[in-house]
Amino acid sequence: MVGGGKVGRTVKALASSCKSKVTEPGLEGLNMEVSVSEGSGLQRQLTVKVPAERVNQELDQRLRQLAQKVNLPGFRPGKVPLHVVEQKYRSEVYGEVMNELLSQTYSEALEQNELSPVAQPDVEPGELKRDEEFAYTANFEVYPEVEPTGYKGMELTKRTAEVDDAAIDETIERLRDMRADYQPVERAAAEGDQVLIDFAGQIDGEAFEGGEASDYTMELGSGRHLKEMEEGLVGASAGETCTIRVPFPDDYPREDLAGKTAEFEVTVKEVREKQLPEVDEAFLQAFGVEDGKMETLRNDIQEGLEREVTEREREELRRQIFEKLAEANDFEVPDQLVERQLDRMVDSHKEQYRQQGLDPETLQLDTQELRDEFRDNAIRQVKVGLIIPEISRAEAIEVSEEEVRNELMRLADQYGDQRDQFLQYVAQNQDQMREIEGRALETKVVDWIVENGQVTEEKVPVGQLLGWEDEEATA
């Protein structure tokens, strides 16, 4: 989501061209002329003309300050004539005065015309000269005017699940599966077995990077590899060599392999059968049950599942609400915000590969292709990020420091053993803290919409709500 800050600030409609006079405090009579013109969409161009009198006054003031500090041969300290200082330090002084005038007048012009830029402007300054008007243009995008609608009485479906004995039993079986051992067997490989293999692949008779490995372990039916490879090894026995044709899908991450078919020569070195552990004292202690009691494990599982269910219920409602808000509110979003969001989404996508031990650079991911794929979602996220603060203003929804802290702690708990490192990172990163403040506001607005909406509950099994069934279908 897009964070808080200026997000959602209302921008009043501008005429296609308007002029105003702005007076710098202490410089009465030295007004600057400002005009604003609209470009396409949310683009604006600000043209500012600073009178020669103000330019001269700023130059003289800066030269007098400098004259008090410089030491030049033939002059007593503090007595260097201004025209001499100007000749000696012209480039430095004129550069500083230009920057100062840009900073002062740009802020004044924005305030006078009630403009709220999305980001730093693209400034095209003219030349700064003594006794002449100084002019520049600033091009930027503004935040759109947002009048949120469709959030009152919203029709929502809330999937809920009850953590019963069956869900706890299923979780225990999943824990057993996590700690399964694999032992060699003298039979043909079946789904669920592991196979130890050597393989070498070719495309059109040519070897390719990453297409060869020795002593590689593959679990058949896990869905972690291309299905043709896993299916092709079902029925193979240790000592056998076979050739398997494997088509790479068109959307395969590596462009050099996408849409092509490889032939792999595979030698099976060993077939291993999965053996689940007994639920004994050693098993219980492996999962932190110090008293070795089954009842304690079941209670721990129930508490954990209830937390997961509550979190998933809230996240599904949040996603549903955001989708409905984006559909109900039609307005243009700033391109710069969309591009920033795309940057974050692409970085996050690459980080997921790194967490799996894969190097995004080796995968040769097409960044532009990813941006095109994510664009619609990025626009929707930016739009919601602009709507949420406006709903909070319309309904006087505010977050307290305690609520922000609760949101921070909730997020920190998701980091497990790295909880303290996460908290330290946030404490040293203001942008991250602002994101958490924005997230806390989102949470409160979502709660308000749910409380004032029409919510229909739909009971589903725990595994369906938490995505276990999807995992099994994928496997």
Side-chain angles (χ1 to χ4, degrees), residues 59 64 249 253 438:
L59 284 171
R64 282 194 294 270

Side-chain angles (χ1 to χ4, degrees), residues 54 68 89 102-103 143 205 234 242 244 266-268 293 305 321 350 367 410 428 437 442 446 471:
R54 181 169 178 177
Q68 298 299 315
Y89 298 99
L102 287 172
S103 177
Y143 286 97
V234 172
C242 57
I244 303 174
V266 185
T267 298
V268 180
K293 294 181 179 179
L305 287 177
I321 287 169
K350 291 181 177 179
T367 298
R410 189 187 66 78
Q428 298 172 351
E437 290 169 355
E442 284 179 3
V446 165
E471 293 174 11

Side-chain angles (χ1 to χ4, degrees), residues 29-252:
L30 304 183
N31 296 336
M32 67 182 184
E33 186 177 284
V34 180
S35 64
V36 181
S37 59
E38 294 186 358
S40 61
L42 300 171
Q43 291 287 339
R44 300 291 183 269
Q45 183 176 80
L46 192 70
T47 301
V48 179
K49 297 178 180 178
V50 183
E53 293 87 347
R54 181 169 178 177
V55 172
N56 290 345
Q57 194 170 97
E58 291 284 355
L59 284 171
D60 291 342
Q61 180 180 342
R62 188 59 56 92
L63 288 168
R64 282 194 294 270
Q65 293 172 349
L66 187 59
Q68 298 299 315
K69 303 175 183 178
V70 298
N71 291 312
L72 293 179
F75 298 98
R76 288 180 295 166
K79 299 297 183 179
V80 182
L82 293 187
H83 73 276
V84 175
V85 177
E86 186 168 356
Q87 289 176 350
K88 179 73 173 175
Y89 298 99
R90 177 185 176 84
S91 177
E92 176 185 340
V93 170
Y94 276 55
E96 290 177 355
V97 169
M98 178 186 286
N99 288 336
E100 184 65 24
L101 284 173
L102 287 172
S103 177
Q104 290 177 357
T105 59
Y106 177 66
S107 298
E108 295 166 11
L110 292 178
E111 184 176 357
Q112 180 71 16
N113 289 277
E114 297 182 283
L115 292 169
S116 182
V118 169
Q120 291 296 320
D122 179 14
V123 178
E124 299 176 6
E127 186 177 355
L128 184 72
K129 296 181 179 180
R130 181 176 286 280
D131 300 325
E132 291 187 17
E133 174 184 84
F134 171 61
Y136 68 89
T137 60
N139 296 282
F140 50 83
E141 279 188 299
V142 294
Y143 286 97
E145 183 172 335
V146 180
E147 297 180 1
T149 186
Y151 65 91
K152 295 180 179 178
M154 186 180 286
E155 294 183 358
L156 300 166
T157 299
K158 179 182 180 181
R159 294 202 307 164
T160 65
E162 181 183 353
V163 179
D164 53 16
D165 287 341
I168 296 173
D169 291 340
E170 186 175 356
T171 302
I172 291 173
E173 289 306 304
R174 291 169 67 84
L175 294 177
R176 292 181 69 201
D177 194 70
M178 286 171 53
R179 298 190 67 81
D181 188 21
Y182 289 85
Q183 295 296 326
V185 290
E186 297 295 329
R187 60 168 175 76
E191 192 167 294
D193 288 342
Q194 276 188 356
V195 289
L196 182 68
I197 59 175
D198 294 341
F199 65 84
Q202 293 186 341
I203 295 178
D204 297 329
E206 297 289 334
F208 58 92
E209 184 181 355
E212 183 175 354
S214 298
D215 292 335
Y216 186 85
T217 299
M218 181 180 296
E219 182 178 347
L220 306 184
S222 67
R224 299 189 186 97
H225 305 83
L226 293 174
K227 69 174 185 177
E228 288 80 7
M229 177 66 90
E230 292 188 10
E231 291 175 354
L233 289 169
V234 172
S237 299
E240 291 184 3
T241 297
C242 57
T243 300
I244 303 174
R245 288 176 57 83
V246 178
F248 290 94
D250 292 336
D251 59 352
Y252 195 69

Side-chain angles (χ1 to χ4, degrees), residues 66 282 312 316 434 466:
L66 187 59
R312 183 61 61 91
E316 285 194 357
R434 278 193 290 269
L466 298 184

